[in-house]
Structure formats: structure tokens, C-alpha cells
Amino acid sequence: MHALKQTDFPWLYEVSKCAPQEARRNLDRAFQRFFRRCRNGAKKKGYPRFKARKRGVGSFSLAGYIRVTGATRQLPRLGILRLKERNYLPTHDVKILRATVTGRAGRWWVSLQVEEEHPDPKPKDGEALGIDMGIKHLMVLSDGTRFGPPRALQAAQQQLARAQRTVARRRQGSANR
């Protein structure tokens, strides 16, 4: 396999080993979904489409050694990439799973998939509150509090009336009218 890769597919050495591996994983998932739809008797089976390398780069995924600092991302084989946004992602206490590089309209975008631990929320103390959604009143709470419907039209009509009065006081043909 290694000798075949060197002679017939030398372009594979130009990219990270992660990109073809991710492409094979995507292809495997696409065929698994296709065969599952065939087994379930779906009308549209959705046979996976061939995505040629010649058509240009739409996107590719990289896994492995990915580092994030304040203004840079370090990706396998691509090296250190400077980015415009700074301190956008938390750089500590997260595990970076994969990076997807997308080329669109002459620009490159990097999306990171991260895994972060969140502590369990503390249980709330106090009574439970019931909410009834209605027509006459937008909401009625179980303690008797009522909320009326939003009056967007009335507020807009009041603003329009004020603006009309302001225009009516202006002299016709003046710059302020």
C-alpha cells in the first residue's frame, strides 16, 4: 500500500494524513446511512456522491495534534495559522476533538469541535410555578399574576401619531419638513 501511495498518489504526501482518514470515515458513515435507509425501505435512498479532488476544496477535517492559543491555531501539516479574532475560545480545560477547514469565496474558515466539562447545575429551591398560556391574557401564573398580550401595533400607532404631529407643525417647503 505504501509503494502504491508513493507512485500513483503522490499528492497524498502534500496534505496531512488526517484529511484522507477523515474522508474515509465520512464515506463509511455515508454508506452506513445509505444501507440503513435501504433496509428500512425508505423511498429516497440517498446513494453517497463522489467528491472529486479536482473540483476544489470545499472543506476537510483534521484530527490529532491541534493547539489553540490567543490568536493562533496550530493544525497538523498546515502549521500555525494567525486568526483575526483573539481569545474567542477557551484554551484551558477543553479537549479539542477535530478542526474543519472550509474554503469559501477565497477565504478560509476554521471550525473547532471541542469537548468541555460542565458541572451539574444545583437544584433550585422554592416552589414550583405553573404557567397558563391564553388568548385574553398572554400568561397567567399559578400565583394569580397576569401578563397581557404585547401591544406592538398600539405602540407603533402612538409613535406614528407623534411623528405626524411633529410634521404638521413644520412649515411646508422648509428643510425641516
Side-chain angles (χ1 to χ4, degrees):
M1 181 69 173
H2 186 64
L4 178 68
K5 195 164 130 180
Q6 285 180 336
T7 58
D8 292 346
F9 307 107
W11 55 268
L12 282 175
Y13 287 100
E14 297 172 7
V15 297
S16 171
K17 66 177 184 172
C18 302
Q21 289 173 353
E22 289 294 322
R24 284 193 294 271
R25 285 187 192 113
N26 290 342
L27 180 64
D28 183 47
R29 277 193 298 265
F31 271 110
Q32 285 177 358
R33 291 175 183 151
F34 168 71
F35 289 126
R36 184 178 24 181
R37 287 189 295 267
C38 288
R39 274 194 311 271
N40 294 339
K43 288 185 180 180
K44 292 187 178 183
K45 307 285 192 277
Y47 189 82
R49 283 191 238 159
F50 177 70
K51 294 173 178 66
R53 185 177 68 96
K54 288 185 244 178
R55 281 195 215 149
V57 178
S59 68
F60 60 92
S61 294
L62 301 170
Y65 184 71
I66 300 168
R67 276 188 46 207
V68 175
T69 61
T72 62
R73 310 289 187 259
Q74 184 173 356
L75 301 177
R77 193 74 175 186
L78 293 176
I80 296 176
L81 305 173
R82 288 182 299 128
L83 301 174
K84 290 195 176 197
E85 65 258 350
R86 297 184 192 290
N87 302 323
Y88 186 73
L89 284 174
T91 56
H92 58 282
D93 298 335
V94 295
K95 180 181 176 186
I96 299 173
L97 302 176
R98 83 173 22 115
T100 301
V101 181
T102 307
R104 190 177 302 151
R107 293 181 171 249
W108 293 94
W109 309 91
V110 178
S111 303
L112 297 176
Q113 181 181 4
V114 298
E115 187 175 87
E116 184 176 14
E117 290 290 328
H118 289 285
D120 291 334
K122 295 179 183 175
K124 297 284 183 185
D125 294 335
E127 298 179 25
L129 187 67
I131 300 174
D132 179 31
M133 306 291 283
I135 296 173
K136 186 175 178 185
H137 298 285
L138 181 65
M139 287 190 298
V140 178
L141 305 181
S142 58
D143 64 358
T145 309
R146 298 171 189 263
F147 294 95
R151 305 272 186 214
L153 178 62
Q154 286 181 346
Q157 285 176 336
Q158 288 172 356
Q159 287 177 347
L160 179 64
R162 178 173 289 142
Q164 290 289 346
R165 286 194 301 269
T166 304
V167 168
R169 288 191 291 267
R170 304 287 187 233
R171 180 176 283 161
Q172 287 186 353
S174 69
N176 288 334
R177 184 164 183 185

